Amino acid sequence: MAEITINPQESAPYSWDGFRETLSRLFGRKIERGTPPIEFLLNDTIASKRAQVRISDCDVDSFCVVTHDNNPIHRSAYIAKEILCLPEEKKVVPGVQLAALGEEYINEALVVINDRWNLDLKFVGSNIRFKKWIHPGDNVYWQVIKHRELDQGADLIIEGRIGKRSGPLGIGLVAYLRRSMPIPKPSIEGDPLFRWTDEYTFNRKELDWFYTSVGEPPREQIPWTYPIALIVASMLKKTLGPNGIPEGINRDMEFNYHKTHYLSNPGDSSSVKIDFYEARPIRDMTRRGLGFGYTLDALCIQNGEPLVSGRIQATTKRKIEY
């Protein structure tokens, strides 16, 4: 279980009045501010609780095993220092593990929003961007900084800052909140080239490990970041260098969530199939020392139905051979 520490609270940077007005227009009724202010519940209570979770070396190891992530920068402090030119030997927390922390913050915040204002907003997708390496022992303070109003819902723009609210930006999230789940069909645009497929099987024990590695008690719902982590692992397998070490970096991800699936019994297992498509031509950036750039569409299917679908952007040292 991730280590728990106590951090001081700070004043909230974001007023939820504008978001409340957006919801009033969306649901066609006046939504009252209420007491205590929702700012305290979301920007202080929940964010402070999230900031108390520090990912340990053991948490990183468990997460990598469960998600099939063999990138050595997450497994070896020495290799992370050599590959990334870090000032000292420290492992790097997997980006999707940070995204899983963010997903827990969003889910907790959404419970508060729906309970306070008697709504049924749903978390239907996200955009994730990785900004700075985060290491075991660092904590991440989550905070909503603004929102975007849309016809069927709103986007919450969320930052995960290292150590405290004013710390360096480690990860940026955009949470897509809508009145209903998206139509359960893949969001594969145009006619992209099919490249490869992978299959994985996970069980209740691995699901428990996943939750424990992000400081949460085990439960039966499969978090969205679980299949997303498998998508990232599949991509990294294609970037193995001659020494068997992945040479790719996952930079940005955007996914839509189609269904919530459960493992009904502790002994149950569930398989997922992931199809990859080349959404854009490979970019050769070797002259700038950046290797090759990829934009891939991915579709994760469980029991013959879409679970998540979306797009991943990555760079690799060598050209991927499909």
Side-chain angles (χ1 to χ4, degrees), residues 80-232:
K81 179 179 184 296
E82 292 298 307
I83 291 179
L84 304 176
C85 300
L86 300 175
E88 55 185 313
E89 292 185 7
K90 285 186 176 182
K91 292 180 183 178
V92 172
V93 177
V96 186
Q97 192 169 11
L98 298 172
L101 287 171
E103 179 181 349
E104 289 301 310
Y105 169 77
I106 294 165
N107 285 330
E108 292 178 67
L110 194 56
V111 168
V112 171
I113 291 169
N114 283 333
D115 287 351
R116 164 61 69 87
W117 292 323
N118 192 26
L119 304 174
D120 189 26
L121 278 175
K122 295 177 174 62
F123 181 26
V124 305
S126 60
N127 181 286
I128 307 164
R129 294 191 175 188
F130 306 111
K131 299 295 186 179
K132 188 176 179 65
W133 304 121
I134 296 178
H135 307 285
D138 292 342
N139 58 3
V140 181
Y141 197 101
W142 301 94
Q143 55 189 333
V144 176
I145 60 170
K146 60 182 178 179
H147 78 280
R148 289 194 293 256
E149 181 174 344
L150 301 168
D151 290 340
Q152 295 299 317
D155 292 344
L156 289 184
I157 292 82
I158 300 166
E159 292 182 342
R161 292 191 172 269
I162 304 172
K164 57 183 180 179
R165 181 171 283 143
S166 58
L169 178 61
I171 181 173
L173 291 173
V174 181
Y176 304 152
L177 306 183
R178 303 291 186 268
R179 297 186 64 173
S180 61
M181 294 295 287
I183 298 173
K185 65 179 182 180
S187 60
I188 305 300
E189 300 176 2
D191 187 23
L193 295 174
F194 173 77
R195 287 308 188 183
W196 80 92
T197 188
D198 261 330
E199 291 193 23
Y200 295 91
T201 299
F202 47 80
N203 54 42
R204 176 63 183 272
K205 182 179 179 180
E206 291 179 341
L207 183 61
D208 290 350
W209 284 356
F210 186 99
Y211 276 116
T212 301
S213 70
V214 294
E216 286 294 309
R219 52 187 184 271
E220 291 188 353
Q221 182 178 359
I222 298 175
W224 296 122
T225 38
Y226 200 169
I228 290 174
L230 299 178
I231 290 172
V232 173

Side-chain angles (χ1 to χ4, degrees), residues 60-61 64-65 68-77 91-92:
V60 171
D61 291 341
C64 288
V65 169
H68 305 268
D69 189 335
N70 294 317
N71 194 328
I73 67 173
H74 307 316
R75 300 296 189 93
S76 167
K91 292 180 183 178
V92 172

